[in-house]
Structures are given as structure tokens and as C-alpha cells.
Amino acid sequence: MNANPEQFQPFDGQPLRVCFVMLHYAQSTIGVDPLEYLADVPIHAALPEAVAALGHEVHLVHQYPRDFSFTAKRVHYHFVAERSAVRLASRFAGRIRGRDPALYEPAARSIQRVRSIDADVLHVHGTTLNLNLNLLVRSVARNGSPVLLHYHGGYPARSAFGRKLQRANFEQTARYGFTTASHAQPFIDGGLLNHPERVFELMETSSTFRWRDRSDARRETGMLGDPVCLSVGRLHEIKDPLTMLRGFDCIQSIRPSAELYLYYLTDECLATMREFLVSRPELRAHVHFCGRAAFAEMEAIYNSADFVLQASTREFSGNAVLEAMACGVIPVVTDIPSFRAMTADGQFGILFPIGDAEALARQVLAIDASSIAERSEAIRAHFERALSFRALANQLIPVYREMIAERPAVTTTSPVAR
């Protein structure tokens, strides 16, 4: 941006004080130790660690069912519980509204902790946590830290009040990180995001998984096949698992040693998929419905596969594909914005049209088995270079510096001088 330097605070290039903020928690975290939670949700540990590794002071403030603070890998963690009366009221409101109670839990203590850190920049997870985001941006609107909103899915609010909050939140925010620019478009079209120049493309998350020797991983998981195909994610119509299964049917008819392993959290389309297999008894033995696996088991599962198949009609990001690419698995995915971004427009994977099972199969069958290892190495290198948490941190630091430089001057002191 072409800013007048006299209107903004100077920035001398010293290390930044960055505060990551999460003003929401899932009901499933009640009773869960924060260390266990962080192990299962890497965005809240791995991204701050990557920023800290670049020499910056990093904090995470996370609204949570209980208080807990500690420091690890140069990151200062602050898990903050709201007052018991507030939490009780939010549970009551959640039952009435039929929604997550934490959406109605004002994050007063968490925001107070954020303000006490006096960060140079706030990196806030979530663009649709309307109430608590509004409380935060109102709190720091004058003489406070500039805010970056990091998109983690969702759409414009349906209620007039919710839309008013979203509009105010975007208005008082310095930057918006969306998986792709197209993910920001509904908010722009709805008149809620009136500064499209503040949008920049930022992956929703990444993965801490690492490549392992395929033979070792397969001995651990028992997954066999030539090729080994993998599906990870909900068996929901948005994921279009039936197209994925039909595509595998075409693959297996040509490559009779091919095997498909499905790991899933929900099974809305399971009955339809089983019905499809009834008419193809020769295929049934090659399709393995494995259900849910523990997060700790997934790295070995990914490293057992040659291809990950994903037929989603839309995605906010695509965690399973990112995890697979971290392990060098070749993504075979629909030609939608998030997957185009991950694969660099298909340079590091296969893109096929939504609903086109034949195109899925045709492109997989066109890959010679002898080239899979080389493709895997290229995908791993691309992941580390462009999609890893380290890559996200390197992308974010210049954005943070821009935000600080553009901040209206309120004192003569540098924002990083302590």
C-alpha cells in the first residue's frame, strides 16, 4: 500500500511480539488436557512455533474450559476460562438455540489476557465467530494491536444482527487471510467485506506429518495394493464419495491389484456406497471401510498410500489432502479453488472435474508405477516449500510488518520497543 510515512508509526525491523488468538472452543474439549488438545490440533501449536523459530516473541491466547499456562518451544500458551456464571449462561443459550454453547460465551477474560500481552500484531483464528470477534476488535480499535483474521471456514451470517457484527469486524481488521481469494468473495458480494485490497491468500492450516518409508509404514498398517489408494474424510455428499468410489472401480478394472482404504469420521453416504458394491461383487474385496482412526495413527496410514482420492464439490481448505501431501502421497482431487492452490494448478497432483469418475480414473491410470516415487518426492518438496507451517510463517512475517507500518501513529515510540 502507498502510505504516507508521516501518518504511521515507524518500524525498525526488530523482532515482533505476535499474539495468536482463538476465542472459541469445542464442547468436546471439556475435560481434555490442553497438551493433548494441542497435539490433535496442530494449527495452534505448530504455526506459533514456526513464527517463534524465526526469532519472534510468540503468545497464544485460547479461550478454553479451564485455565492453564505454560511455555514450550519458545511459545507462551495462555488457556483462559471464562467465569463460571458466563459459561453456565452460554450453555443455556446454546441449548435454546441448538448451537455450540461457546458461540454465546463472551470472551471477556480471554480478551483481557490478550490486551495484557501488548502484542505488535494479533493473529486471530476464525472470521465468523461474530460476537467475540466484535468484542475483541472493539477493545483494540483505538491504540490497540492491528488484527489479522485467519479464515477457517464459514459463510456470511444469515441474521441482520450477525451481518452487522461481521461488517464491523472486517471494517476494523487490518488483513484477512483466506485460503483463496474466491473464499472471500461471498463476504465481498454480501457487502460485509468492503476492503478487498486487505485480502491475501493464506492456507487455513498445514500438517506436522512427515514422510516415512512406504514398506515400513505398510508393515505397520497392513495396507497392501498396487496401487494403494486412500480416502480420508467424511462420507458426506459434499465430499461426493460415490464419485470417488466409481473412479476407483474404473481403476481396479484395469489394475486388479489396486486396493482402496477408507477412513472417515461420519458415514452419511455409507449405505449408498455399500449398495453400489452389491452390484459389483468383484470389487467388494478391494474396498476396505476402516472407519475412524486415531490422529496418532494417521501418519502411518498416509505413508502407506500411493494416491489419496478426494471428490469434494467444495472445501474451505482440505486438511486430509494437506496431510497426505506432507507424506508425499499423490493427490487426486477435484478441480476446485483450494485444491488448485494446494497442487499449484495440478503441477503437484491430479485435478479432475467435479463428478467425473472416468476422468479421475483415466489420469491415475496414465501414471506409470515406476514414476510414483519421483512424483512423491516432488510433492514432498512442494509441500515443504509452499504449504508447511514454516512456509506459512515465512509468508506471514512480511504481512505482519505491513500491518504495523500502516498502523496510525498514536505515540512516538516504536511498537516493538519495550
Side-chain angles (χ1 to χ4, degrees):
M1 296 189 178
N2 298 320
N4 182 346
E6 295 181 357
Q7 295 179 333
F8 302 107
Q9 294 182 342
F11 177 68
D12 58 9
Q14 296 179 18
L16 304 177
R17 179 179 293 173
V18 180
C19 183
F20 290 87
V21 184
M22 180 60 175
L23 300 179
H24 180 266
Y25 61 89
Q27 289 300 105
S28 59
T29 61
I30 295 177
V32 175
D33 183 87
L35 295 175
E36 180 182 345
Y37 165 80
L38 288 173
D40 288 344
V41 189
I43 185 70
H44 294 310
L47 184 55
E49 288 170 9
V51 173
L54 296 175
H56 303 285
E57 179 184 336
V58 180
H59 298 256
L60 167 70
V61 175
H62 198 312
Q63 187 177 5
Y64 207 71
R66 69 182 180 95
D67 287 333
F68 188 73
S69 296
F70 67 100
T71 299
K73 297 184 179 180
R74 301 177 59 185
V75 178
H76 307 283
Y77 294 92
H78 314 262
F79 286 84
V80 182
E82 299 306 321
R83 301 187 189 283
S84 57
V86 172
R87 293 172 59 200
L88 285 171
S90 71
R91 286 201 290 272
F92 179 72
R95 282 197 297 269
I96 292 176
R97 304 277 297 185
R99 301 188 67 190
D100 188 348
L103 292 172
Y104 306 98
E105 187 172 302
R109 291 190 71 234
S110 301
I111 292 170
Q112 183 179 23
R113 182 69 60 88
V114 169
R115 288 185 61 85
S116 73
I117 292 168
D118 189 25
D120 298 308
V121 63
L122 303 182
H123 183 135
V124 182
H125 291 293
T127 55
T128 57
L129 303 174
N130 302 329
L131 173 62
N132 279 333
L133 284 181
N134 192 257
L135 293 176
L136 176 67
V137 297
R138 285 165 59 91
S139 177
V140 300
R142 297 186 63 183
N143 306 343
S145 309
V147 175
L148 180 155
L149 288 184
H150 192 167
Y151 179 72
H152 290 289
Y155 298 101
R158 287 175 288 185
S159 71
F161 180 66
R163 293 172 71 84
K164 181 179 179 180
L165 289 178
Q166 284 186 341
R167 188 177 296 107
N169 295 344
F170 282 122
E171 187 66 29
Q172 298 184 71
T173 302
R175 289 291 188 281
Y176 329 115
F178 284 84
T179 307
T180 69
S182 64
H183 288 88
Q185 201 60 47
F187 297 92
I188 296 172
D189 293 343
L192 307 178
L193 194 163
N194 296 317
H195 297 280
E197 73 279 2
R198 298 179 188 174
V199 173
F200 72 104
E201 294 190 336
L202 176 70
M203 275 293 148
E204 179 190 355
T205 186
S206 183
S207 175
T208 56
F209 289 163
R210 293 291 179 263
W211 180 88
R212 291 173 51 182
D213 180 80
R214 294 291 188 253
S215 298
D216 289 346
R218 288 173 183 177
R219 277 192 291 270
E220 181 177 333
T221 62
M223 296 166 62
L224 299 172
D226 180 21
V228 176
C229 297
L230 175 66
S231 169
V232 177
R234 296 180 298 149
L235 299 184
H236 187 280
E237 61 182 9
I238 291 174
K239 306 288 186 180
D240 195 8
L242 192 56
T243 288
M244 180 268 300
L245 183 57
R246 286 174 172 151
F248 177 73
D249 184 22
C250 297
I251 294 169
Q252 206 277 328
S253 68
I254 305 298
R255 301 281 294 275
S257 297
E259 303 287 332
L260 173 63
Y261 297 84
L262 298 101
Y263 288 86
Y264 45 92
L265 299 176
T266 63
D267 60 1
E268 294 88 345
C269 295
L270 180 59
T272 302
M273 298 175 75
R274 291 195 183 280
E275 183 179 340
F276 175 82
L277 290 174
V278 168
S279 62
R280 288 163 175 75
E282 72 286 351
L283 180 64
R284 274 183 288 176
H286 301 276
V287 178
H288 311 274
F289 293 98
C290 302
R292 182 187 293 264
F295 182 79
E297 299 173 323
M298 289 307 302
E299 185 176 82
I301 290 168
Y302 283 116
N303 275 293
S304 298
D306 297 307
F307 299 96
V308 61
L309 311 182
Q310 182 76 277
S312 302
T313 58
R314 65 176 188 268
E315 289 281 357
F316 295 131
S317 176
N319 291 8
V321 176
L322 284 170
E323 290 170 345
M325 293 180 72
C327 299
V329 184
I330 300 171
V332 183
V333 295
T334 37
D335 189 1
I336 60 176
S338 57
F339 293 157
R340 284 197 293 272
M342 289 179 197
T343 64
D345 290 325
Q347 294 181 63
F348 301 97
I350 293 172
L351 298 174
F352 64 92
I354 291 173
D356 194 336
E358 291 184 1
L360 182 164
R362 185 169 56 250
Q363 295 194 66
V364 170
L365 291 169
I367 294 178
D368 190 278
S370 63
S371 72
I372 288 178
E374 182 180 352
R375 288 173 178 267
S376 174
E377 178 60 35
I379 288 166
R380 294 205 314 272
H382 168 68
F383 175 86
E384 290 299 328
R385 182 176 59 251
L387 302 173
S388 65
F389 281 114
R390 180 174 60 183
L392 297 187
N394 285 328
Q395 181 183 357
L396 281 165
I397 297 305
V399 176
Y400 293 159
R401 294 192 189 281
E402 287 179 2
M403 292 165 61
I404 294 168
E406 294 165 5
R407 177 183 172 190
V410 293
T411 67
T412 58
T413 305
S414 168
V416 293
R418 306 295 177 191

